[in-house]
Amino acid sequence: MRVLRNYFEDANEDFQEDVFLMIVNNDGTVYALKINDSQTLNVAIEYDLSNAKGSTTQEKIDFLNENLRKDYAQNSNLELTFLKFFESYGATLYEAADQNLSNWNLLELNNNKDQVVSTTCK
């Protein structure tokens, strides 16, 4: 999320709404992250960093990454784990619906926050 925020902040203001980060999973699944609310993203990242263990920014990032790694190791549904961890970050997660990346599905948590709901984007 910090990388996405950095790309967003470095982009010309006229193009910030077009900033996204694409991720290719080890199984070939393609995801895209897009910022919906940059202020919410900044607050969430700064909150995490200020509450993480460590005396340097890198130690804090390592601590947060280790916690996320543990969450992934305990759960087989990586999409659900990701959405739960980052649900209040002001960003959306999309999954490519085809190999040529022309169709996308928005991934969100259901009301109970125990399943991923996929909505086709148009």
Side-chain angles (χ1 to χ4, degrees):
M1 287 296 190
R2 287 182 60 244
V3 170
L4 180 59
R5 177 185 68 172
N6 293 345
Y7 286 145
F8 181 86
E9 289 177 350
D10 288 346
N12 180 294
E13 189 175 304
D14 294 334
F15 300 106
Q16 284 180 329
E17 68 181 37
D18 298 323
V19 171
F20 67 94
L21 181 65
M22 197 172 292
I23 303 155
V24 180
N25 195 3
N26 62 355
D27 67 1
T29 307
V30 179
Y31 296 95
L33 281 171
K34 185 165 179 9
I35 296 174
N36 294 331
D37 185 335
S38 61
Q39 184 174 0
T40 298
L41 180 62
N42 282 328
V43 168
I45 290 171
E46 293 308 319
Y47 177 84
D48 284 349
L49 288 173
S50 67
N51 290 294
K53 291 182 181 177
S55 56
T56 67
T57 300
Q58 189 57 54
E59 288 174 353
K60 292 176 180 228
I61 291 169
D62 292 344
F63 174 80
L64 293 168
N65 285 339
E66 180 60 21
N67 284 341
L68 184 56
R69 187 198 64 75
K70 287 177 184 177
D71 283 352
Y72 280 130
Q74 294 174 357
N75 298 292
S76 60
N77 188 332
L78 301 180
E79 293 170 352
L80 180 64
T81 302
F82 180 91
L83 289 169
K84 281 183 173 182
F85 196 88
F86 294 111
E87 73 175 309
S88 62
Y89 277 64
T92 50
L93 178 66
Y94 298 89
E95 179 183 11
D98 55 45
Q99 289 185 345
N100 58 1
L101 309 179
S102 59
N103 295 293
W104 293 85
N105 295 321
L106 172 64
L107 303 179
E108 300 175 291
L109 294 173
N110 67 354
N111 290 338
N112 294 331
K113 300 188 185 304
D114 61 357
Q115 291 183 349
V116 176
V117 177
S118 175
T119 306
T120 302
C121 299
K122 297 189 182 210

